[in-house]
Amino acid sequence: MQPSAPEPHPDPDPPMGLPVLPELAAHLAAAADRTAPEPPGGARPLRTAACGYFERRGLVTPEDRVLAGPGAPALLLGLLAAAGGDIVVPRPCAAWYTPQARLLGRAVHPAPAPAESGGVPDPFTLLEAVHRARDAGGEPKVLLLSVADDPTGTCPPPEQLHEVCEAAAGEGLWIVSDETRRDLLHDPHDTVVLSPAEMLPGSVVVLADLRVTLVPASWPAALARFPATGPGEALCAAALAALSGLATPLPGPLAAAVGHALTEPATVRERTAAAARLHGRLAAGLHRTLTGAGAVCRPPHAGNHLYADLEALRPAFAARGVTGPAALEQVLAPWAARGGHRFGDDPKALRVRLSTEALFDPDADRRRCLLAAPDPLQVPSVEASLRELDAVLRSGGPAAGA
């Protein structure tokens, strides 16, 4: 992919999220007089809490193999600076995966994801992308994938994930596993999520942006976990040096509140579980609306996004002057639409990511009520939004110039 000037996002991403837990707000307020920032990578109490977070997910982690930073994009920037070389990403992929590589002057090589699930490339297309890049003089060093995908909201089957990781390791690539949304499974009893770090512990770095599950969307905090090997130690040290050079540590008060959230007290666990249920119900409603109108959309398994292909609806949209993803996201703006071109997809295809959070009310009290609703799809504002989406999909949106 060649660098290009991206279109401005119509709205901030991530969006507003759920209301702040009073317990976390209290911890932030209690540390408000702390003037010292966290050291790069996080002080020992924060890293200890991070180790507990990973260990509860089956990944035993030494304190010197975990880094905390002000958001996953910052950690990824430090990681790519440390690893060197180009990166391979699935197509489509999260919008924040590629800007860091381009800032570093590294090439990005897309490998299409299979039809059944996003987040990882097909093993054969991965090998093709790597070999093609090397034949052209490139040097792929990193495969960036996701076990609970943004933008598609899907989770790759364990056997598919294992094949991809084996192929990447066979080519000498570091595997960076974005596990940000693994705790937002819509049906934990029906979806199996494994970390590549469980399959190939010596080859995998795990990234987790905590804003999606543990802390409010406006609190930039993330973790990176490195292998307990010699190469893992060297990569961690180099990433820490890169983070130190950026001079953008976590603010001290925020680190205190994040450290508490990482211990996952009952209130935090309950909120995460409630958020997963809410996103699951809203995603199911969006999926039914999209497919009922004729769109093609993978059934979502996790997180707060869906990714729809509206090519079957092209005649209706074209009649209203909508012929590409940039125009499509404007028509579908009320549902936090992002055109597929933002995720490395075909810039001519009518593909779009929609967000369950577009169905939230801006009022914090009404968002709390939605979180507690027995069936969020029966909340009048949600019902109205889904009816409007159905009408827009079937009509192709407002007339050009309206």
Side-chain angles (χ1 to χ4, degrees), residues 114-119 147-157 184-187 190-191 279-291 295-309 354 356:
E116 56 270 20
S117 178
V147 299
D149 186 40
D150 166 19
T152 67
T154 60
C155 300
L184 290 183
L185 295 181
H186 300 162
D187 186 351
D190 187 55
T191 305
H279 288 302
R281 291 294 294 140
L282 297 180
L286 282 168
H287 184 261
R288 281 197 298 271
T289 302
L290 287 161
T291 56
V296 175
C297 182
R298 296 178 178 98
H301 304 140
N304 54 329
H305 297 131
L306 302 88
Y307 196 68
D309 187 327
L354 301 183
T356 57

Side-chain angles (χ1 to χ4, degrees), residues 128-399:
E128 287 177 1
V130 170
H131 296 161
R132 187 166 52 246
R134 288 174 177 163
D135 289 344
E139 191 179 13
K141 288 288 189 69
V142 173
L143 168 63
L144 180 52
L145 54 76
S146 176
V147 299
D149 186 40
D150 166 19
T152 67
T154 60
C155 300
E159 59 274 14
Q160 177 188 336
L161 183 64
H162 189 267
E163 289 176 2
V164 170
C165 291
E166 288 280 4
E171 295 294 328
L173 304 182
W174 280 108
I175 300 165
V176 178
S177 176
D178 174 16
E179 303 187 8
T180 295
R181 289 171 170 78
R182 66 171 294 170
D183 292 339
L184 290 183
L185 295 181
H186 300 162
D187 186 351
H189 303 292
D190 187 55
T191 305
V192 177
V193 172
L194 294 178
S195 171
E198 298 177 70
M199 302 174 179
L200 298 171
S203 302
V204 179
V205 179
V206 176
L207 278 181
D209 196 320
L210 305 178
R211 295 178 298 169
V212 176
T213 52
L214 290 190
V215 301
S218 60
W219 294 13
L223 304 175
R225 176 196 181 272
F226 293 79
T229 62
E233 179 182 12
L235 185 65
C236 183
L240 177 58
L243 286 175
S244 301
L246 291 174
T248 55
L250 279 171
L254 183 60
V258 170
H260 175 73
L262 283 169
T263 66
E264 296 183 282
T267 50
V268 172
R269 293 197 309 272
E270 290 164 3
R271 166 58 70 83
T272 301
R277 289 192 298 270
L278 175 60
H279 288 302
R281 291 294 294 140
L282 297 180
L286 282 168
H287 184 261
R288 281 197 298 271
T289 302
L290 287 161
T291 56
V296 175
C297 182
R298 296 178 178 98
H301 304 140
N304 54 329
H305 297 131
L306 302 88
Y307 196 68
D309 187 327
L310 306 185
E311 284 297 325
L313 308 180
R314 182 179 284 278
F317 279 105
R320 301 300 183 99
V322 178
T323 59
L328 184 62
E329 72 177 19
Q330 294 179 28
V331 171
L332 299 178
W335 298 276
R338 300 288 188 271
H341 60 301
R342 299 190 186 277
F343 309 106
D345 214 340
D346 183 347
K348 297 180 181 179
L350 284 182
R351 298 187 189 124
V352 65
R353 188 195 75 179
L354 301 183
S355 173
T356 57
E357 296 198 16
L359 302 177
F360 290 4
D361 194 288
D363 181 80
D365 288 336
R366 286 196 284 270
R367 276 182 279 152
R368 290 189 188 94
C369 291
L370 180 63
L371 190 64
D375 186 355
L377 296 178
Q378 294 183 4
V379 172
S381 62
V382 174
E383 286 185 315
S385 183
L386 293 176
R387 283 197 303 270
E388 183 183 354
L389 174 61
D390 181 73
V392 169
L393 292 171
R394 294 179 188 276
S395 69

